[in-house]
Amino acid sequence: MNSQIQPLFLRPGEKLPKSVIDSLKEANARINKSKNFEQYRRQMQHILQLPDYVPFTESQKFYYGGFIDGEGSIYIAAKKGPNTKFGAYLDPGFNITQHVNGAKHLFQSLSFFRTGRIRYKSGSNATLVFEIDTRRSLQDKLIPFYQEYVIPSTSSAKKQRFEKFCYLLDAFDQKKHLEFDSFLNELAPIWDDLRMQKGQKNESFQSLEDFQQYCIHFVKQTKKAE
């Protein structure tokens, strides 16, 4: 692709064209079926009208680590799942949110980590999100980068947050999420600790106690039905 191509640019208040939103949805639906990452990456490049990714130099990796420290977010979501063992589950992930004018940063992330998705943030004017939500990609690709290029210069609070996030990923490998007591009393409190904003109306669970009681009730009802 020509390096002189002009990327999408919107003025304040302008909305992302519906054609772009639809193309993003179609590309994400397609990759979920095809699993062809390079094809998906090229589609993102075309949709967002961006020049191709140039691999980071070692010094650029440290610069990018600083960008992730400021703009990126590791998180754990608690979600209801009626088909899961305890009626709810914990879903770890990482994301970077940018206005479409900064889409190049999301495309660089997609190309550098060679995993993840870029999607439109529903309800926004022109906000896009790069997200990694598979545990294997988090452990094999994101965590090593964090350890080398982000953690050495980040704050103590973010270091503690990262350590808890890693602990939870390791706990998944140990199948602790399949043991009721560990899931409820060891892993769920980590989710609660890492929540950045509490009390939002759109949350599945308003508190740790709410989450725990929901799971306890679900398990009791499941046993009664057996």
Side-chain angles (χ1 to χ4, degrees):
M1 183 174 287
N2 192 324
S3 61
Q4 299 302 312
I5 191 170
Q6 294 299 311
L8 282 172
F9 180 85
L10 299 181
R11 294 182 175 82
E14 287 187 324
K15 293 186 176 182
L16 195 64
K18 185 177 184 300
S19 60
V20 174
I21 295 174
D22 290 342
S23 293
L24 288 171
K25 288 181 179 178
E26 291 171 6
N28 283 314
R30 195 176 297 118
I31 181 70
N32 289 337
K33 294 180 179 179
S34 71
K35 308 300 180 184
N36 188 329
F37 177 81
E38 184 57 26
Q39 182 184 62
Y40 174 76
R41 193 184 74 84
R42 290 294 183 182
Q43 287 173 334
M44 288 295 109
Q45 181 184 359
H46 175 72
I47 292 168
L48 300 173
Q49 301 173 25
L50 294 169
D52 202 0
Y53 164 71
V54 177
F56 292 142
T57 63
E58 187 65 14
S59 61
Q60 286 174 330
K61 288 179 184 178
F62 282 101
Y63 176 84
Y64 179 61
F67 170 78
I68 282 185
D69 190 27
E71 300 292 329
S73 176
I74 51 177
Y75 65 86
I76 301 169
K79 303 177 180 179
K80 293 180 180 179
N83 296 321
T84 60
K85 191 173 183 180
F86 307 129
Y89 62 100
L90 300 176
D91 191 19
F94 164 82
N95 64 32
I96 304 172
T97 301
Q98 293 282 291
H99 184 272
V100 68
N101 293 353
K104 69 175 184 179
H105 301 301
L106 306 185
F107 181 66
Q108 286 177 334
S109 299
L110 180 76
S111 300
F112 175 73
F113 288 116
R114 296 198 63 77
T115 189
R117 302 287 186 270
I118 296 175
R119 61 177 174 83
Y120 163 70
K121 184 177 181 181
S122 180
S124 71
N125 280 343
T127 299
L128 301 179
V129 181
F130 167 71
E131 191 163 35
I132 300 176
D133 60 4
T134 62
R135 294 203 303 271
R136 185 50 52 200
S137 290
L138 290 169
Q139 289 177 305
D140 292 350
K141 298 184 177 184
L142 183 77
I143 296 303
F145 180 82
Y146 250 82
Q147 290 171 330
E148 187 166 357
Y149 298 101
V150 180
I151 294 304
S153 59
T154 195
S155 67
S156 59
K158 288 186 176 181
K159 286 180 181 178
Q160 292 176 6
R161 182 178 177 83
F162 177 74
E163 289 170 359
K164 291 180 180 179
F165 185 78
C166 291
Y167 182 90
L168 183 124
L169 291 178
D170 289 341
F172 271 103
D173 280 347
Q174 298 169 31
K175 307 298 183 183
K176 288 188 176 183
H177 62 297
L178 301 179
E179 302 168 4
F180 189 58
D181 184 65
S182 295
F183 177 72
L184 214 61
N185 300 308
E186 184 177 351
L187 305 189
I190 295 176
W191 156 72
D192 189 53
D193 285 345
L194 296 190
R195 285 198 293 161
M196 298 296 289
Q197 296 178 328
K198 300 183 180 183
Q200 293 185 330
K201 292 182 179 180
N202 62 347
E203 287 184 306
S204 296
F205 303 98
Q206 293 296 308
S207 67
L208 174 60
E209 182 181 5
D210 184 26
F211 178 87
Q212 292 171 326
Q213 289 302 315
Y214 179 89
C215 293
I216 291 171
H217 177 75
F218 180 89
V219 170
K220 286 182 178 179
Q221 292 300 114
T222 301
K223 288 182 178 179
K224 285 182 181 180
E226 291 176 349

